[in-house]
Every structure is written in C-alpha cells, then in structure tokens.
C-alpha cells in the first residue's frame, strides 16, 4: 500500500530565505508526482508535476526534484515571500488509468515579513 | 485548464441530517473524483464518480453513507448521509480528462465545501 510522508509538518522562515520541503513515498512504482498548494478556504493549486521518467521540474522560484528509486521528492522555494505562506501537499499517482492521487499530510509554511 | 465550482461553499448541519454537494465543471471531462480532508489531515479519495453507472468507492467508504450521482460529463453530486460530527471535513471535487493526461497535465480541484456537523 502506497504511503506518502511529508517533513516537516510545519515550517516558519523569515522572508528571503531559501527552503526545502520533503516528500517520501513507499512504493516507487508511480506514474507521476505532483506538488500542490492549498490556501485556507480555497481548493488546491497545482504547482509542479513530475512524470516518473523525469528528474525535476522548474517554475519560477520553484524547483521540484524526483528520485524514484529512493522514493523521494523535494520542493525547493527560492527567495521566499510572505505570499508563499500556505500548505504544500505532495501527491503521487499510481497509473494513468484514472488512477487516484495519494496525498501526504502536507507542510504548513509561514513566511514572516 | 478546467474551471470547477462547488455548492455550497460551506455549511453547518445538525447530526442525523444529510447534505448534497454539487460539483460543476466548465467542460466535459472523463473522470470526476470526490475527496475528503478531515481537520488536520490530508486528502483521501472517497470515490470515482462514473457517468451513467454506479460510483467506484475506495476502501472504508460505502454508497449508503456517500451516495454519488454523475448524470453527465460536467456535473456530479456527493451526498453525506446521516451525518455525525466525525463527518466534519472539507469535501473536494476533482476532475481529470484524457486530453489533460496526454498533455501531461494534472487533476484539477474545486474550491471545496467546508462542512461542520454539530
């Protein structure tokens, strides 16, 4: 059974810091891995999607890496801003046949001005 | 990308009652899913809503408690039946389409319905 774990559960940093969020999964047979952002009262916003054949994806100040063999992914946020404050969720997808997403518990990030 | 709306956005209900949540998508999609996010927890898939047939439920979720309808390719409902305080959660609808998969895109999520059961 696939399990997804995110560390740390919560993180508070001063504005401008670079930071890394961690995600691990127990079954390396995944189709893709995604990082989402969840803001209070809002749905999920997809940040980055990494296919199983890829090693990393970048979007602006965000960089996500994937090491399937070790069951790990990291989300790197450069030059953090107060607007980055949110809960970040990692999710893996088993296959492309309408496979469900299995989520980690999330990392609650707070960036202090 | 798909634009998804959910109604209601939030509700406070009494135990023993039922609530139906609606999910509307602005385009036809292949797959629709319902997730639950309990307080302090992550998202858990309740079921896949199948158009024209019964929903496919995940382990731990049953049709009598969470009946689901999907009359067409743009709309689905989830009913939370005979509610108890343990049903207090955020319920999210998500969609996926084969055209998105081909483009390597992700599932899209609605804004969620915040339910509090007293």
């Amino acid at each position: 059974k696939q399990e997804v774990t995110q560390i740390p559960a919560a993180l508070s940093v001063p504005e401008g810091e670079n930071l890394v969020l961690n995600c691990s999964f127990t079954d390396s047979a995944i189709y893709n891995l995604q990082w989402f952002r969840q803001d209070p009262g809002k749905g999920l916003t997809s940040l980055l999607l990494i296919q199983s054949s890829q090693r990393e994806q970048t979007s602006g100040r965000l960089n996500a890496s994937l090491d399937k063999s070790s069951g790990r992914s990291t989300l790197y946020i450069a030059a953090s801003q107060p607007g980055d404050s949110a809960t970040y969720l990692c999710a893996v997808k088993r296959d492309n046949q309408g496979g469900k997403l299995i989520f980690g518990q999330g990392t609650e990030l707070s960036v202090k001005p | 990308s798909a634009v998804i709306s959910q109604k209601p956005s939030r509700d406070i209900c009494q135990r023993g009652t039922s609530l139906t949540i609606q999910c509307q998508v602005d385009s036809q999609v292949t797959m629709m899913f319902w997730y639950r996010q309990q307080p302090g927890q992550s998202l858990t898939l309740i079921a896949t809503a199948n158009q024209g047939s019964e929903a496919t439920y995940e382990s731990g979720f049953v049709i009598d408690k969470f009946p689901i309808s999907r009359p067409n390719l743009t709309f689905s409902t989830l009913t939370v039946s005979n509610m108890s305080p343990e049903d207090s959660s955020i319920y999210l609808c998500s969609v996926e389409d084969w055209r998105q998969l081909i483009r390597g895109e992700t599932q899209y999520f609605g804004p969620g319905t915040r339910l509090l059961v007293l």
Side-chain angles (χ1 to χ4, degrees):
Chain A
K1 178 186 172 185
Q2 178 73 274
E3 292 183 1
V4 180
T5 304
Q6 290 186 244
I7 296 173
L11 182 63
S12 181
V13 300
E15 182 177 5
E17 264 200 20
N18 302 324
L19 58 100
V20 174
L21 308 182
N22 296 291
C23 171
S24 61
F25 47 95
T26 55
D27 186 348
S28 61
I30 63 171
Y31 180 67
N32 62 38
L33 181 144
Q34 304 171 60
W35 284 92
F36 292 89
R37 169 181 172 144
Q38 185 175 29
D39 294 278
K42 298 184 179 180
L44 274 66
T45 303
S46 179
L47 298 173
L48 290 166
L49 182 152
I50 311 176
Q51 302 291 356
S52 61
S53 58
Q54 298 174 323
R55 297 282 292 183
E56 66 177 344
Q57 284 286 339
T58 299
S59 176
R61 295 181 294 107
L62 306 180
N63 176 276
S65 67
L66 174 64
D67 185 342
K68 240 179 57 165
S69 60
S70 67
R72 293 180 184 174
S73 176
T74 60
L75 178 66
Y76 175 82
I77 303 177
S80 58
Q81 304 171 356
D84 295 329
S85 298
T87 296
Y88 290 81
L89 296 165
C90 163
V92 299
K93 189 173 185 184
R94 181 183 59 204
D95 55 55
N96 66 343
Q97 303 300 316
K100 68 179 181 182
L101 297 180
I102 300 171
F103 285 83
Q105 279 86 355
T107 293
E108 187 175 355
L109 173 65
S110 175
V111 181
K112 306 293 186 184
Chain B
S1 65
V3 177
I4 306 167
S5 60
Q6 285 186 233
K7 290 182 181 179
S9 59
R10 59 179 63 228
D11 208 342
I12 301 174
C13 300
Q14 297 298 318
R15 71 170 65 211
T17 63
S18 298
L19 176 72
T20 296
I21 303 168
Q22 298 179 1
C23 176
Q24 179 75 54
V25 193
D26 67 342
S27 59
Q28 293 185 342
V29 293
T30 318
M31 312 287 289
M32 295 182 78
F33 306 92
W34 286 99
Y35 286 82
R36 179 177 74 179
Q37 186 176 29
Q38 294 177 298
Q41 303 294 315
S42 193
L43 282 78
T44 301
L45 181 66
I46 298 172
T48 302
N50 301 310
Q51 195 257 332
S53 64
E54 197 170 281
T56 304
Y57 290 85
E58 296 296 307
S59 175
F61 298 97
V62 296
I63 187 172
D64 290 345
K65 177 66 176 178
F66 297 102
I68 289 170
S69 78
R70 189 174 174 197
N72 55 51
L73 293 177
T74 63
F75 185 79
S76 177
T77 67
L78 167 74
T79 299
V80 186
S81 303
N82 188 26
M83 288 184 284
S84 67
E86 291 70 35
D87 295 318
S88 298
S89 298
I90 302 174
Y91 293 86
L92 297 104
C93 167
S94 76
V95 304
E96 187 175 271
D97 189 76
W98 65 269
R99 287 162 291 193
Q100 293 168 225
L101 291 176
I102 290 175
R103 292 194 295 264
E105 294 178 9
T106 180
Q107 286 183 15
Y108 294 98
F109 283 80
T113 295
R114 289 178 174 271
L115 171 62
L116 176 63
V117 184
L118 302 176

